[in-house]
Amino acid sequence: SSSSSSSSSSKAGKSWFGGKPNSSSSSSAAEERRWRQWVDERFVKVLTANIYRTWDESWGTFSYMTQQSHWNWAVQQSVRLAGALLMWRVGQGMPKKYNIQGDLREALYADADSFLAAVGSNKFLGGDQPNLADLAVFGVLQAIRGTDTYNDVVMNSQIGPWLSRMVQLVGDSCEVKQVPGKAGVPAAAAA
């Protein structure tokens, strides 16, 4: 019926963030789907391989995760030790399992830069406002905020300015405890 189609078209013209969407064309929708799939099939795996790449990074990742928890000290220490050991061992096989070639950090920087190349001169992949692919990339990066991997990808790729725009628009995570000596976005990237 005509009333339901006009209702759905008015909903389709709205953005999650109050602005106009970049485009409603099928090509931009296909690009958004492709990048969302890339996040699930590639980016998450490269990030995960990086946070468990070395014993120190695995330990640091679990230290950060347990500091964010509400667990008592004994549980935190048990999870930190067992989790770091297990995931460090699992992490050793991730590059081969997920076909990540060469240096893991360089693969991460290249992946971040390939996403930014798709964003191009726009503020976001969605244009002036983020689309679901922007939110997917942002979400997985926010999940590792506070780790050395997060700080390295922000400092050694082109993702910092995009990430700062996302934080300004979407906001920070709802609950992140500040860890002494660690910052959210390095100052050089926040500019």
Side-chain angles (χ1 to χ4, degrees):
S1 77
S2 63
S3 67
S4 67
S5 66
S6 65
S7 169
S8 64
S9 67
S10 68
K11 287 180 186 174
K14 293 183 180 178
S15 166
W16 284 56
F17 302 99
K20 291 181 179 177
N22 185 31
S23 170
S24 60
S25 73
S26 62
S27 65
S28 65
E31 180 180 32
E32 179 182 340
R33 274 192 307 277
R34 185 175 69 83
W35 282 103
R36 287 172 56 203
Q37 183 176 6
W38 171 84
V39 169
D40 292 342
E41 294 178 0
R42 170 73 184 181
F43 198 52
V44 167
K45 293 170 182 169
V46 172
L47 279 171
T48 304
N50 270 276
I51 63 175
Y52 302 123
R53 173 178 78 131
T54 66
W55 168 252
D56 287 343
E57 285 177 295
S58 187
W59 180 259
T61 297
F62 272 87
S63 294
Y64 173 74
M65 287 191 296
T66 56
Q67 288 169 349
Q68 297 302 310
S69 74
H70 298 285
W71 300 325
N72 68 43
W73 182 85
V75 171
Q76 283 183 355
Q77 300 314 309
S78 298
V79 168
R80 180 181 302 160
L81 181 58
L85 182 59
L86 176 66
M87 290 311 297
W88 172 66
R89 295 285 297 147
V90 168
Q92 301 305 298
M94 292 179 103
K96 183 177 180 182
K97 180 177 181 179
Y98 297 124
N99 196 28
I100 304 168
Q101 301 297 315
D103 182 77
L104 289 174
R105 276 297 202 269
E106 293 301 323
L108 177 60
Y109 306 152
D111 283 356
D113 287 341
S114 70
F115 175 73
L116 265 292
V119 170
S121 62
N122 295 316
K123 290 180 180 179
F124 307 101
L125 188 67
D128 287 338
Q129 299 294 321
N131 63 18
L132 292 176
D134 287 297
L135 291 170
V137 172
F138 180 69
V140 297
L141 285 170
Q142 288 297 93
I144 66 161
R145 194 174 97 189
T147 66
D148 290 343
T149 300
Y150 177 92
N151 292 330
D152 284 353
V153 73
V154 170
M155 296 299 290
N156 294 294
S157 74
Q158 302 300 311
I159 206 140
W162 172 89
L163 192 58
S164 294
R165 289 190 297 273
M166 288 295 293
V167 168
Q168 287 174 355
L169 199 58
V170 176
D172 265 332
S173 179
C174 58
E175 182 180 353
V176 175
K177 297 176 187 175
Q178 289 301 316
V179 177
K182 297 281 185 175
V185 176

